[in-house]
Amino acid sequence: MAEQVFAYNQLFQFTKSVFIKMGCSEADANVATTVLLTADVRGIDSHGVARLSGYVRLWEAKRINATPAITIEHETPSTATVNGDAGLGLVVAPHAMQIAIDKAKQVGTGWVSVQNSNHFGIAGFHAMMALEHDMIGIAMTNASALVAPTFSIEKMLGTNPIAVAIPAKNEPAFVADFATTTAANGKLEILQRKNEATPLGWVQDEHGNESTNAHALKTGGALLPLGSDREHGSHKGYALGSIVDIFSAVLSGASYGPWVPPFPAYIAMPENMPGKGLGHFFGAMRIDAFRKADDFKTHMDNWIQRFRNAQPAPNCSKVLIPGDPEREIAKERMVNGIPLLNSVVDELEKTGAIFNVSLK
């Protein structure tokens, strides 16, 4: 499918202008735009500006508060529960992660659960906030129920990603950022835009049979947990997704399981929701709470170098460290621009027209 290429600054100014037109403060618009564009820069196109129209529709449906009063509902020296006041997850999440970092500065570790939020973009952004403080960062979130547990045809969980960012000394940081499903829903959406089929193991149809239909969710099908089926370990993906749901929502007081608010604004909110909004969970761990930070980072360099130099399998050029592919893509895109599918460009232009903001 045809693409168009945009400079980072061009997309940044457009996206920021849309958030400001929604009513966000200058500071919040900057944060939200930075989170969103980080996904595009790192090659996670499913969670970048392609999602902007979705946030606008949620705002139009009065499900996103552009001027949230983010508050701490409960806290101890190392923990907190944050109420996002229905704000953009792109704003609420960095705020909450900063609280975790500040607590870690004081007592060694910080742990923050969040209720009453919305979709927070890529988990990796929030985890990586800890790196510049010589801390390990952890981020996770629950999401719209699109995933059938092992042995079920009912959608009960979200793609529920986990991200962990670990600093090194001279080597780039280790950054793992992954959904607990075989594929994230955003990748399904990309295939839908391209009118292409999915690989086997991504989705099942409404009867629980394997499918390659990228539109399967629209006809009662479901995404599959990491592992795709029981024989290939889907019970492990199911367990990981469940852990994220419990940490993010049962712990914080957000809605969980099939009651998580759906991202598409046209889908009705679930009845009898047990909590408030989406939930997130963040952690920050100061390395020198465990050992000297310089010693740790030296050994992280050694770990990374040894794994990167592991003997590659046939037809494979090298072994990658989590974060390598995104880092290489980011270098290229910051120089040569960010490619967007024409369908995404069309959607952005329609979104801009709502607020009289021009993309080009």
Side-chain angles (χ1 to χ4, degrees):
M1 184 176 286
E3 295 178 333
Q4 299 179 47
V5 178
F6 293 82
Y8 177 88
N9 289 339
Q10 183 181 5
L11 287 178
F12 193 98
Q13 290 305 315
F14 170 80
T15 305
K16 178 183 173 181
S17 296
V18 169
F19 282 131
I20 288 175
K21 292 281 189 175
M22 286 170 58
C24 295
S25 68
E26 178 93 7
D28 284 355
N30 267 317
V31 170
T33 302
T34 300
V35 177
L36 210 57
L37 265 292
T38 297
D40 288 301
V41 169
R42 291 174 64 80
I44 310 172
D45 300 331
S46 57
H47 284 59
V49 292
R51 291 257 175 182
L52 182 60
S53 62
Y55 293 114
V56 171
R57 285 191 286 268
L58 287 172
W59 170 76
E60 290 175 327
K62 303 189 185 305
R63 285 174 46 192
I64 281 181
N65 176 7
T67 56
I70 303 169
T71 57
I72 294 176
E73 299 278 292
H74 175 78
E75 69 177 324
T76 73
S78 63
T79 67
T81 300
V82 167
N83 186 326
D85 195 26
L88 277 164
L90 304 169
V91 172
V92 175
H95 183 101
M97 185 61 186
Q98 188 59 54
I99 292 173
I101 290 168
D102 291 342
K103 286 183 175 293
K105 288 179 180 178
Q106 296 299 315
V107 296
T109 67
W111 305 96
V112 176
S113 61
V114 179
Q115 60 168 253
N116 203 10
S117 186
N118 283 281
H119 189 281
F120 75 0
I122 57 169
F125 178 91
H126 314 298
M128 288 190 294
M129 286 177 61
L131 295 175
E132 62 187 86
H133 303 282
D134 273 351
M135 295 182 190
I136 294 170
I138 300 171
M140 56 186 77
T141 183
N142 69 356
S144 311
L146 303 173
V147 184
T150 303
F151 302 142
S152 178
I153 63 170
E154 188 175 357
K155 293 188 281 288
M156 297 289 289
L157 290 168
T159 54
N160 293 8
I162 300 170
V164 179
I166 305 173
K169 188 174 184 179
N170 298 315
E171 294 289 341
F174 173 109
V175 182
D177 183 0
F178 55 95
T180 55
T181 46
T182 304
N185 184 49
K187 291 186 177 179
L188 208 64
E189 292 171 344
I190 290 172
L191 292 180
Q192 291 168 7
R193 296 186 191 109
K194 295 181 176 180
N195 197 28
E196 295 179 2
T198 73
L200 282 174
W202 283 28
V203 297
Q204 65 183 24
D205 67 17
E206 66 271 28
H207 305 296
N209 300 315
E210 63 182 15
S211 173
T212 60
N213 180 6
H215 299 273
L217 272 64
K218 300 175 183 177
T219 55
L223 285 169
L224 292 171
L226 184 63
S228 77
D229 58 34
R230 179 64 174 78
E231 289 69 28
H232 293 92
S234 68
H235 58 292
K236 298 175 184 178
Y238 167 31
L240 283 170
S242 299
I243 290 167
V244 172
D245 200 32
I246 293 165
F247 276 35
S248 299
V250 181
L251 192 60
S252 70
S255 284
Y256 45 82
W259 296 286
V260 175
F263 183 78
Y266 61 83
I267 297 178
M269 294 284 275
E271 296 180 358
N272 303 315
M273 296 170 67
K276 296 180 179 178
L278 260 71
H280 318 310
F281 185 79
F282 303 101
M285 298 188 292
R286 209 172 71 205
I287 291 168
D288 65 4
F290 299 89
R291 68 183 299 189
K292 290 181 179 178
D294 192 65
D295 289 348
F296 171 84
K297 292 193 292 184
T298 296
H299 282 282
M300 272 304 300
D301 279 0
N302 189 43
W303 189 98
I304 289 168
Q305 290 161 6
R306 180 64 186 90
F307 274 75
R308 189 171 280 132
N309 291 322
Q311 184 174 347
N315 302 318
C316 298
S317 59
K318 60 181 179 179
V319 175
L320 299 174
I321 303 302
D324 281 352
E326 294 88 347
R327 196 161 34 248
E328 290 304 313
I329 291 172
K331 288 179 184 177
E332 191 274 330
R333 289 189 172 185
M334 288 304 291
V335 173
N336 298 320
I338 297 168
L340 300 178
L341 295 172
N342 281 343
S343 58
V344 173
V345 175
D346 291 343
E347 190 71 22
L348 289 176
E349 289 176 337
K350 291 175 184 176
T351 300
I354 297 171
F355 302 105
N356 197 28
V357 175
S358 176
L359 176 61
K360 299 177 181 178

